[in-house]
Amino acid sequence: MDKERNSEQKRVDTIVAKIESSLTKTHHEYKKARAERSSVEKNYVQNAKINTFEVDDQMETNAEVQQQKQLVAKNVETEKILNRQISLLSDLRNSPYFGRIDIHEDGEPSPETLYIGTSSFNDEQGNFLIYDWRAPISSIYYNGTLGTVSYTTPMGKQRAQLLKKRQFRIQSGKITNMFDTNETVGDELLQEMLGEQSDEYMNNIVSTIQKEQNDIIRDTTHDLLIVQGVAGSGKTSAILQRIAFLLYHSRADLSAEQIVLFSPNLLFSHYISEVLPSLGERNMRQVTLAEFFAQRFEGLKVETLFDKFEKKSKTSDNTEITVKEDTAFMHKIKEYVTRLDNSHLFFNDLILIDQVIFSSSEIRLLYSKLPVAQPHYLRHFELKNILIKELKKKIKKELNAQWVLKKIDSLTEEEYYSLLGDYQRGRFEDIEAEVTYLSNKIVSAKFEPIYEAIYNNYFIDIYHQYNDFLEKILPDDVGTFNNQLEYHQIRLADCAPLLYLRDQITGEGQNHSIQHLFIDEMQDYSLAQMYYLHAAFPNAHLTLLGDSEQALFHEIQPPQELMESLRQTINPKKARMIELNKSYRSTFEITSFMKALLPDGDKIQAFTRSGSLPKLVLTNESDAVAKLLSEAQLLLKKNETVAIITKDIAMCKTLLSSCKAKDAPTLITNNDRSLPKGLVLLPIYLAKGLEFDAVIVFEVSQNNFAANSSRGILYTICSRAMHDLVLISVKGVSNLITTIPSDLFAIEQDITFKQK
């Protein structure tokens, strides 16, 4: 094998030299593009300052300015493209590829050797030296075992014989590991990569994609794809590679701006933000559910999933909330709008400063004159047009008002030229035309807020309308809703129903440009929210991923039951669920402990990476914090990131107040966007989707982790640990742990503890 390795290293050296040559050339082109942009910008600034008085000169100058604006934009885009190429080539220089396949295609005279990497690389003659992992032929590397294989091409299925599959670990241009295998990715390579320390950013997994993950990544036929994956199964990584694949596969019809990913929190958004750029793709739009709703409820504080989780831990009375989270509640809204008559429609006054421009009664009268046989959304559309026409009449009446003429007379030179704009200067036939133009500008600017209010449907009193709906369907909740509204707040459970009500009346609120919608941690979303998001993005293919065992807001739901609920809610044409049951994140010992926490834990397959047994530390209240910090310091000696994860933020704050400043961990809150190295302290909800070298679970008492309601929470906390897991208890131990076989964890005790 040494001879083979030397031969492979020579090829790596040759490829790296070619990459460096290409990198030098691209750097030169980048510097040239920057210089050109700088020159164009300089000319643009000079021309923009030219003060001309002749009409012909002005027109010529404006044409030059517009042309230079376009040149600047073009040069900026060229710079971005070249910068991305530099980044890709730099990564390739370090690690050109990770796989090799030798194939003999049907009809070809001889076998061919192909090398697979994170992106393609050609020589000057256009020959592929490295194939992009997303290329059709590269699927053989992920799905094929030695022997007859097939892969999909634009011309249909192509058959071939897979003669060899070789895997590499290349760092800084040197092969550190190399072996032949019949598997997707050999355990030896996985052992090496999974044993590394965690990082601030998630890394792409293109070199270690498993066959079942590859099925997720390359699926282009289903409009609903559900990925049910156990903790640490690589579902989020696979989804990000799926986005990269879709951008590659449909590059002529799909852009990153047409993809939206709903993340569980800001920390997670930051954590995954480097995956797509590392593959040469732009990041898709990322948003949390609360951010999405907050953009639509201007002036209201929208409850976040974090707020909801914290509130749930303090109260068990969620009857009204549960009703609102079901699809049936959304169906009732649709029925309500269908039966809604004019007398139960509510409108707002449109007020400009202290003047009512359109009163609610005036708007109601206009609406009542529209054909009753038409559905509300058609009448609403016609009403908007009428209001805009009426507004234009009001603007026209104001043009010659005394205040307008006074305003024109008092304009400063800067205000005057700002109103005229580059295009209009010197184009007026006489002074009257100029005054008319300026008057129109001034009056239109004054009434702009009213136009915006009409455009954004502020003339509809949607909160009063929703209140009316609640009085008919859920009267016990009316008081709570109105009380929240009085304090400019809205519960998460009210957001989807209220927006759906608005959209049913207006016929608006849909984004038809989004082609793919991804939702992570889907088990934390209600069916009503799923229903609304599907309605809001009607053309989007949905990819939903999560783990029913990690449910934080309700009891664990079997995957097939969850699948059926979503199928009935979304009603897709073609749906598919893929289950990922092998956990790669944690050591075999930690995964075995996690499995024992679940009733159906046997379905989870542990990856055979060995480590220490999880440790249960029993201590007393007076020594608890000292013991916690002592364990943390031991873990920090061999790990870069150690997380103390609690059930809620209240316990985080209690712990922090008990720590001395020099020993205190960094508290992570809902507003934090990144994780520092070292010791951190955070509640479980903010740890969703993240991983740490070591995790300490504080106070695993029966009071804190009751059997059914907290099973998913404890499982989720433990599943964040990659290499070490420590559980600390002060007031007894939860039955969730005492029922686990004693050989799955070690016990360190300062007080008497009886194993059940």
Side-chain angles (χ1 to χ4, degrees), residues 692-740:
F692 304 91
D693 293 328
V695 166
I696 301 174
V697 195
F698 187 73
E699 186 54 324
V700 289
S701 64
Q702 178 65 19
N703 183 53
N704 217 21
F705 290 98
N708 290 322
S709 60
S710 297
R711 188 184 300 274
I713 297 173
L714 183 57
Y715 165 77
T716 305
I717 296 176
C718 294
S719 69
R720 302 305 96 197
M722 294 172 62
H723 311 303
D724 291 285
L725 175 63
V726 174
L727 304 98
I728 296 178
S729 187
V730 177
K731 301 174 182 176
V733 182
S734 167
N735 291 340
L736 293 172
I737 296 173
T738 58
T739 53
I740 292 176

Side-chain angles (χ1 to χ4, degrees), residues 309-310 313 645-652 682-685 697-699 702-706 709-710 713-714 717:
F309 176 72
E310 289 294 325
S313 67
I645 305 179
T646 67
K647 189 176 179 181
D648 54 37
I649 194 71
M651 184 168 287
C652 281
L682 70 166
I684 177 52
Y685 179 72
V697 195
F698 187 73
E699 186 54 324
Q702 178 65 19
N703 183 53
N704 217 21
F705 290 98
S709 60
S710 297
I713 297 173
L714 183 57
I717 296 176

Side-chain angles (χ1 to χ4, degrees), residues 497-552:
L498 201 156
L499 287 174
Y500 187 64
L501 172 62
R502 181 204 64 182
D503 296 349
Q504 286 294 299
I505 292 173
T506 65
E508 299 177 14
Q510 296 181 328
N511 187 328
H512 295 272
S513 68
I514 300 302
Q515 294 189 33
H516 285 275
L517 184 66
F518 292 81
I519 299 176
D520 203 352
E521 304 293 351
M522 65 174 178
Q523 72 278 358
D524 292 341
Y525 286 63
S526 70
L527 290 175
Q529 288 161 356
M530 291 288 192
Y531 184 92
Y532 175 71
L533 291 175
H534 179 54
F537 301 98
N539 294 336
H541 293 262
L542 296 180
T543 303
L544 313 178
L545 60 150
D547 179 6
S548 59
E549 311 281 15
Q550 295 185 55
L552 298 187

Side-chain angles (χ1 to χ4, degrees), residues 227-432:
V227 180
Q228 161 64 33
V230 301
S233 58
K235 55 186 177 293
T236 300
S237 295
I239 288 304
L240 292 169
Q241 318 309 310
R242 171 170 168 74
I243 293 172
F245 173 79
L246 290 169
L247 289 169
Y248 176 91
H249 176 269
S250 306
R251 53 189 175 275
D253 307 308
L254 181 68
S255 67
E257 289 74 25
Q258 294 171 299
I259 301 174
V260 175
L261 169 64
F262 278 81
S263 299
N265 52 58
L266 297 176
L267 281 172
F268 181 81
S269 297
H270 175 79
Y271 179 56
I272 66 172
S273 63
E274 290 300 311
V275 173
L276 287 174
S278 74
L279 297 170
E281 301 291 354
R282 294 180 180 178
N283 263 321
M284 69 278 131
R285 300 183 190 182
Q286 277 196 74
V287 67
T288 65
L289 187 63
E291 285 176 326
F292 174 78
F293 285 139
Q295 291 167 3
R296 286 147 183 81
F297 290 110
E298 191 175 342
L300 293 185
K301 184 182 185 300
V302 176
E303 179 185 41
T304 65
L305 280 168
F306 173 76
D307 296 331
K308 180 185 174 184
F309 176 72
E310 289 294 325
K311 192 180 295 181
K312 177 182 176 293
S313 67
K314 296 178 177 64
T315 177
S316 57
D317 185 15
N318 289 296
T319 307
E320 289 81 10
I321 297 297
T322 304
V323 171
K324 292 177 182 179
E325 292 181 334
D326 194 68
T327 311
F329 195 69
M330 305 297 272
H331 292 161
K332 288 177 181 177
I333 288 175
K334 197 167 187 176
E335 292 171 11
Y336 167 79
V337 174
T338 302
R339 298 173 183 174
L340 194 60
D341 58 42
N342 289 352
S343 63
H344 281 82
L345 275 167
F346 301 97
F347 298 100
N348 287 317
D349 293 336
L350 292 184
I351 302 172
L352 184 63
I353 308 175
D354 56 353
Q355 179 187 1
V356 177
I357 306 302
F358 294 105
S359 68
S360 59
S361 57
E362 183 182 356
I363 297 171
R364 181 184 297 279
L365 181 62
L366 291 170
Y367 193 84
S368 66
K369 293 178 181 178
L370 299 173
V372 179
Q374 287 184 339
H376 283 290
Y377 71 89
L378 288 179
R379 279 182 277 170
H380 169 81
F381 178 75
E382 185 59 32
L383 177 62
K384 284 182 83 166
N385 285 333
I386 292 170
L387 288 172
I388 289 171
K389 287 176 183 176
E390 291 297 316
L391 181 61
K392 287 180 178 178
K393 289 179 184 177
K394 292 178 184 291
I395 289 173
K396 193 172 182 180
K397 286 181 181 178
E398 285 281 308
L399 291 179
N400 296 317
Q402 195 64 35
W403 71 269
V404 181
L405 297 175
K406 285 183 178 179
K407 176 70 175 175
I408 293 174
D409 288 340
S410 63
L411 287 174
T412 65
E413 185 176 358
E414 184 180 353
E415 290 171 335
Y416 172 75
Y417 284 113
S418 176
L419 283 172
L420 287 183
D422 290 331
Y423 184 72
Q424 284 294 337
R425 291 182 197 173
R427 283 178 163 264
F428 303 112
E429 295 180 359
D430 51 41
I431 190 67
E432 186 177 341

